[in-house]
Amino acid sequence: MQQASFRKMWLSSLLKRVLKAMRPPKPASQAANYETWRNNFMQSRLHLGLWVALIFFLTFTALELRNLWFKPAQFKEEWLITQIIVESCLLFCLALFRLPVGRRHPTLVFLILSWSVTIGPQLRSSFNGHFEPSLLVWPLMFFGQATLMPVRWGLHLISQLGVLFYCVVAVAFLGLKVKMPAVWLTPSAMILYMFWICFICNLSVYLYERLQRAEFKARRDLEAAYCQLQSEQERSEKLLLNILPETIAIRLKKEHQTIAESFAEVSVLFADIVGFTEISSQVSPRELVKLLNEIFSAFDHLAEEHGLEKIKTIGDAYMVVAGLPVQREDHAAAIADMALDMQQALAKINSQTSQNFRIRIGIATGPVVAGVIGIKKFIYDLWGDTVNMASRMESQGIAGRIQVTRATYECLKKEYIFEERGLVAVKGKGEMSTYLLVGKGR
């Protein structure tokens, strides 16, 4: 039992080693054009062809060895020697294929393989003073080449002409006697037979390579179109994410219904540039848009840094919220840090542009309803009393200060510094206690 298990493991290990040895060397780079692809294809198929030819001759070597041991009358020593010589040439090709020169010049390996199989066995009969065309090996080799390596029909023609050249040299210059493989086969019939075999092989390679070239071009065009489509999709995704929160954008693509959600507690911030209308009358439209873009871009970076969701800009007003669409417990602290950083960012812009911009900021905390409205130029927007209160805190605030509602103050009073402003008449609410955020506590 143990011996059978060991034998099975040994055979499995041997098979893995053989398959690993038969793997072609990896190409140096991906095929960027047809010529590169064809060269990689030829290397892969040529490596396979070498192993097929080697196994082919090894089977006949095994047959001769069987004859030597069991049927000595049928054993032919010169055949065994010829086969060993051809196998040595094939092993040389496999070794050459592993070297840089073989990978750079697969055509050289191809020709050595072809002539080793077709001309190599003829050397035996040449030494005996006669020339014997191979009715079996030549057609098998030419058809095998055309099947395994259907590229570069001109290279196939060169390998065939090499065999023809050997025939001419053997008969015309060396004066070898022609010995036909069969009594009924005449030299003229043999020439015509080999001509049509070579013609069919070369024609099939030529037609197949035309098909390969067209297929490669179609595949590259398809890949280019897919890459362009993917690029456009990524661009569309990026534009969509600039309009909507990521989670809402994903839902909007999957759902074909109104998106609306209630949030129990968030913090909303409104900011407005004081006196921007007067400033706009003193600068050119291009300069005005440039300044506004610089300010709001700085605010956008801060919103991203603090993990907040920018809702919209209206003129010179900026709206941002903390605590949605993904809820967070520190929404009030995040929005307070955003407000304080907005003041510092604006001060930095003033020093760079020699302007004197000031902003009013209002913050409110409480429940809101959020969702997407419209079918064209849609936006993610907020509704509710908390939104109105944040707007009132800004519009009725003090230039350069941050005014918050009592609810926001209660959330932050332990960690931030406030000044009590007192009662403020809020439109639609009457008098309310409000507070001014000064900074972060120690």
Side-chain angles (χ1 to χ4, degrees), residues 88-370:
S88 300
C89 293
L90 294 176
L91 289 173
F92 170 75
C93 289
L94 283 169
L96 184 63
F97 205 66
R98 291 287 175 178
L99 298 175
V101 63
R103 291 194 292 270
R104 283 197 303 267
H105 304 287
T107 55
L108 176 63
V109 181
F110 178 91
L111 293 175
I112 295 175
L113 164 64
S114 178
W115 292 335
S116 297
V117 175
T118 54
I119 300 177
Q122 298 296 320
L123 299 177
R124 171 177 52 84
S125 58
S126 298
F127 286 129
N128 293 332
H130 63 270
F131 169 71
E132 183 178 352
S134 178
L135 190 63
L136 174 65
V137 176
W138 291 358
L140 190 61
M141 186 60 193
F142 294 151
F143 279 123
Q145 289 178 163
T147 302
L148 292 176
M149 290 163 282
V151 291
R152 296 185 178 176
W153 71 270
L155 187 62
H156 290 256
L157 180 61
I158 292 174
S159 72
Q160 295 157 8
L161 290 176
V163 176
L164 176 63
F165 177 76
Y166 171 78
C167 297
V168 172
V169 170
V171 176
F173 295 97
L174 299 181
L176 301 180
K177 295 180 179 180
V178 179
K179 181 181 179 181
M180 302 306 294
V183 294
W184 54 267
L185 188 65
T186 64
S188 300
M190 184 69 182
I191 293 173
L192 188 61
Y193 174 69
M194 293 305 303
F195 167 78
W196 281 111
I197 286 178
C198 295
F199 178 81
I200 292 172
C201 289
N202 293 334
L203 180 63
S204 64
V205 171
Y206 171 75
L207 294 176
Y208 188 79
E209 186 165 19
R210 285 190 61 184
L211 180 62
Q212 284 181 321
R213 190 184 296 271
E215 182 185 356
F216 180 85
K217 183 179 183 301
R219 185 168 61 249
R220 298 298 292 184
D221 292 343
L222 183 61
E223 289 175 357
Y226 176 77
C227 290
Q228 185 177 2
L229 177 61
Q230 191 174 26
S231 177
E232 291 297 328
Q233 286 179 336
E234 291 175 356
R235 183 183 176 190
S236 299
E237 288 282 342
K238 189 174 181 180
L239 290 173
L240 188 61
L241 292 177
N242 281 335
I243 300 172
L244 302 174
E246 183 176 1
T247 55
I248 301 300
I250 294 173
R251 285 183 57 187
L252 190 64
K253 288 189 293 183
K254 294 181 179 179
E255 302 175 10
H256 299 282
Q257 57 185 7
T258 303
I259 297 178
E261 293 179 294
S262 296
F263 295 89
E265 191 170 82
V266 301
S267 293
V268 182
L269 179 150
F270 273 90
D272 183 75
I273 301 176
V274 179
F276 192 79
T277 304
E278 290 77 8
I279 296 174
S280 63
S281 62
Q282 301 171 6
V283 298
S284 65
R286 184 182 295 273
E287 184 68 20
L288 178 69
V289 173
K290 181 181 177 181
L291 288 171
L292 197 60
N293 178 66
E294 187 174 356
I295 294 171
F296 284 172
S297 294
F299 292 171
D300 287 345
H301 287 301
L302 291 175
E304 185 175 355
E305 179 182 335
H306 291 290
L308 309 183
E309 192 64 46
K310 174 187 174 182
I311 302 301
K312 58 186 174 182
T313 59
I314 304 175
D316 59 334
Y318 190 90
M319 179 182 178
V320 67
V321 62
L324 61 79
V326 179
Q327 299 183 21
R328 54 188 294 182
E329 295 181 358
D330 63 337
H331 55 86
I335 211 79
D337 291 340
M338 171 77 178
L340 294 171
D341 288 346
M342 288 171 71
Q343 289 181 329
Q344 295 180 8
L346 190 63
K348 184 178 179 180
I349 292 173
N350 284 337
S351 64
Q352 294 174 348
T353 60
S354 301
Q355 297 290 339
N356 190 28
F357 293 118
R358 293 184 300 165
I359 55 172
R360 285 192 307 265
I361 299 177
I363 300 175
T365 300
V368 298
V369 174

Side-chain angles (χ1 to χ4, degrees), residues 49-65 79-91 112-122 124 134 136-138 140-141:
L50 285 167
W51 278 102
V52 170
L54 180 61
I55 294 172
F56 171 83
F57 275 91
L58 285 174
T59 58
F60 283 93
T61 300
L63 180 63
E64 287 301 319
L65 292 174
W79 284 14
L80 180 61
I81 294 174
T82 300
Q83 287 163 193
I84 292 175
I85 293 173
V86 174
E87 289 159 6
S88 300
C89 293
L90 294 176
L91 289 173
I112 295 175
L113 164 64
S114 178
W115 292 335
S116 297
V117 175
T118 54
I119 300 177
Q122 298 296 320
R124 171 177 52 84
S134 178
L136 174 65
V137 176
W138 291 358
L140 190 61
M141 186 60 193

Side-chain angles (χ1 to χ4, degrees), residues 66-83:
R66 188 204 68 170
N67 292 337
L68 173 63
W69 293 329
F70 301 106
K71 297 180 181 180
Q74 297 180 10
F75 173 69
K76 295 184 178 181
E77 182 181 357
E78 61 273 16
W79 284 14
L80 180 61
I81 294 174
T82 300
Q83 287 163 193

